[in-house]
């Protein structure tokens, strides 16, 4: 294995961590920004639609740019843009300006997310073994770092804008420094033609693959809806339902992100031993148990336990769905991953908003019953995934 591939893997870790840190910095500042702007949970839920919508649009744009220009150009460019727009949600004092800020930040975050995942698939293929979960683990590491910094800045009385501006400036530097280490990936004419053939589906096997991919995409929607709800409502749950101070509430997301990290660090090895289907099925079941604890418990310590189980259970689900899509048809890996990621982002868009709208009818913790149901559906439908050993053999064959 050459040094350039190892260096590219490290750089991919860096960009995943950067993306997680930038998003996590926004998440831990949500309670303070909500109070600053003077909006209700329901209004915040509506505004969060724009964050998800911006991410979805950005992902579609970045997907096309990555296909035409290569990830080595698009990943660092979007990293700079996402870092630069992080400060925007911390500035407004009115809902309509916050709406514009969230749309802009969401757009840039979506661009970074899809371009770095495209590069991660390329690195995974070059390695010839599952490594996708480890990349997603560093995204969660970024969330933990953001929670720690957010708790410290909240305790120190710093404004959200000051902390977000400092993190954004650091992110710009990191995105630029890491750019040279990325693989010089670019699509081939054969890949482009195969992706188009998959989209049109004239061949029977391509139609079958397409149906398989859309099922994976539907599961990604359910899982990422749950993850998005945790991102945007975990801190508010502790603050408003259980009465925790802002500095303590920030650790709800930090706990969720920490167990996501642990699970994803272990997931690649567990997939090789037990198979990706088991990771998805038992992970979703564990997540259902965790969010049930969050829903019914009146104690802060139990809520932390519930968020920890929720994160641990969800940790391996999205990487397995992305990886399965990427290897279902090697000639159309990029198009398939884009479909799964795209519908997953619809989940990210719908999750926070759905919880926000449900707070019109029930208390915030009771709205989490929706997440219990989605985790249960995912566990039942996990049989769509083939075993991890089968997928590993496919990856090894495609890389040889």
């Amino acid at each position: 294995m050459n040094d350039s591939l190892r260096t590219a893997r490290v750089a991919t870790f860096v960009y995943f961590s950067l993306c997680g840190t930038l998003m996590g910095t926004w998440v831990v500042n949500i309670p303070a920004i909500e109070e600053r702007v003077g909006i209700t949970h329901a209004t915040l839920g509506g505004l969060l639609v724009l964050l998800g919508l911006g991410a979805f649009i950005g992902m579609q744009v970045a997907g096309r740019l990555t296909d035409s220009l290569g990830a080595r150009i698009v990943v660092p460019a979007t990293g700079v843009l996402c870092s630069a727009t992080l400060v925007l949600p911390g500035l407004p004092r009115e809902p309509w300006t916050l709406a514009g800020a969230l749309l802009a930040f969401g757009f840039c975050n979506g661009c970074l997310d899809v371009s770095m995942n495209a590069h991660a698939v390329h690195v995974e293929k070059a390695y010839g073994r599952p490594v996708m979960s480890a990349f997603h683990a560093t995204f969660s590491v970024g969330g933990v770092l953001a929670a720690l910094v957010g708790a410290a800045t909240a305790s120190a009385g710093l404004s959200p804008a000051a902390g977000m501006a400092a993190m954004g400036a650091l992110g710009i530097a990191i995105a630029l420094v890491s750019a040279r280490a990325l693989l010089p990936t670019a699509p081939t004419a054969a890949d482009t033609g195969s992706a188009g053939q998959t989209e049109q589906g004239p061949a029977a096997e391509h139609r079958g693959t397409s149906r398989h991919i859309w099922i994976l995409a539907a599961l990604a929607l359910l899982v990422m809806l749950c993850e998005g709800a945790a991102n945007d409502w975990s801190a508010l749950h502790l603050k408003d339902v259980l009465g925790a101070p802002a500095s303590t509430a920030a650790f709800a997301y930090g706990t969720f992100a920490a167990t996501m990290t642990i699970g994803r660090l272990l997931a690649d090895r567990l997939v090789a031993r037990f198979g990706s289907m088991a990771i998805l099925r038992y992970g979703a079941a564990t997540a259902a148990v965790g969010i049930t604890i969050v829903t019914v418990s009146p104690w802060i310590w139990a809520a932390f336990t519930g968020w920890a189980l929720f994160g641990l259970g969800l940790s391996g689900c999205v990487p397995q769905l992305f990886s399965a899509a990427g290897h279902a048809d090697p000639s159309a890996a990029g198009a398939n991953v884009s479909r799964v990621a795209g519908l997953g982002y619809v989940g990210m868009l719908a999750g926070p908003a759905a919880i926000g709208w449900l707070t019109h009818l029930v208390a915030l913790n009771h709205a989490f019953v929706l997440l219990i149901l989605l985790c249960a559906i995912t566990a039942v439908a996990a049989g769509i995934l083939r075993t991890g050993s089968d997928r590993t053999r496919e990856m090894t064959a495609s890389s040889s």
Side-chain angles (χ1 to χ4, degrees):
M1 189 174 298
N2 57 49
D3 292 338
S4 63
L5 182 56
R6 293 191 184 94
T7 304
R9 187 184 183 192
V10 172
T12 309
F13 282 136
V14 170
Y15 281 105
F16 269 78
S17 180
L18 173 62
C19 189
T21 302
L22 295 175
M23 180 55 71
T25 300
W26 148 248
V27 168
V28 299
N29 281 288
I30 286 177
I33 292 174
E34 183 186 46
E35 183 177 355
R36 173 191 176 99
V37 180
I39 54 178
T40 65
H41 292 343
T43 301
L44 176 63
L47 291 174
L48 291 174
V49 171
L50 295 176
L51 179 69
L53 178 62
F56 180 80
I57 296 172
M59 187 177 68
Q60 307 310 308
V61 172
R64 293 185 177 92
L65 289 176
T66 304
D67 287 340
S68 59
L69 301 178
R72 193 174 194 176
I73 295 175
V74 178
V75 172
T78 56
V80 169
L81 289 174
C82 189
S83 300
T85 56
L86 173 63
V87 69
L88 297 181
L91 300 176
R93 292 185 178 273
E94 298 179 353
W96 68 271
T97 51
L98 178 59
L102 291 178
L103 185 64
F105 176 63
F107 176 85
C108 295
N109 184 264
C111 288
L112 174 59
D113 197 304
V114 73
S115 60
M116 72 185 187
N117 269 290
H119 187 265
V121 169
H122 185 77
V123 172
E124 186 179 53
K125 287 183 178 181
Y127 264 79
R129 59 184 173 87
V131 296
M132 182 66 77
S133 291
F135 290 136
H136 283 255
T138 56
F139 179 92
S140 300
V141 168
V144 174
L145 293 175
L148 294 173
V149 173
T153 55
S155 298
L158 295 179
S159 69
M164 296 166 85
M167 189 64 72
L170 179 61
I172 291 173
I174 291 172
L176 293 174
V177 169
S178 304
R180 291 175 59 86
L182 297 176
L183 294 177
T185 57
T188 64
D191 293 336
T192 303
S194 297
Q197 188 179 16
T198 302
E199 183 68 26
Q200 299 300 323
E205 64 270 20
H206 284 193
R207 287 196 298 270
T209 299
S210 182
R211 288 192 294 270
H212 179 82
I213 293 302
W214 284 117
I215 296 174
L216 295 176
L219 292 178
L221 183 149
L222 301 185
V223 173
M224 293 181 72
L225 190 153
C226 293
E227 187 174 337
N231 289 345
D232 289 330
W233 293 105
S234 55
L236 285 169
H237 166 255
L238 257 72
K239 179 177 179 290
D240 292 349
V241 176
L242 301 182
S247 57
T248 301
F251 282 102
Y253 174 71
T255 300
F256 171 81
T259 54
M260 288 278 283
T261 304
I262 294 170
R264 285 172 173 174
L265 288 172
L266 297 173
D268 288 329
R269 295 180 181 179
L270 293 175
V271 167
R273 182 171 181 180
F274 300 107
S276 56
M277 182 181 69
I279 299 302
L280 182 61
R281 173 162 293 161
Y282 294 109
T286 300
V289 172
I291 198 62
T292 300
I293 293 173
V294 170
T295 300
V296 303
S297 176
W299 303 298
I300 292 177
W301 66 265
F304 277 126
T305 301
W307 286 118
L309 287 174
F310 194 52
L312 184 64
L314 293 179
S315 61
C317 296
V318 168
Q320 301 318 307
L321 294 169
F322 278 31
S323 187
H327 298 285
D329 181 359
S331 66
N336 290 337
V337 170
S338 295
R339 289 174 185 149
V340 174
L343 205 56
Y345 262 88
V346 172
M348 279 286 194
L349 165 69
I355 297 299
W357 291 329
L358 284 174
T359 60
H360 282 297
L361 306 174
V362 296
L364 176 59
N365 58 318
H366 295 157
F368 293 152
V369 170
L370 173 64
L371 308 183
I372 300 173
L373 295 176
L374 297 183
C375 289
I377 292 171
T378 302
V380 171
I384 189 65
L385 293 184
R386 284 174 285 180
T387 64
S389 59
D390 288 341
R391 182 155 52 84
T392 302
R393 284 195 295 269
E394 290 176 3
M395 293 170 59
T396 304
S398 65
S399 64
S400 61

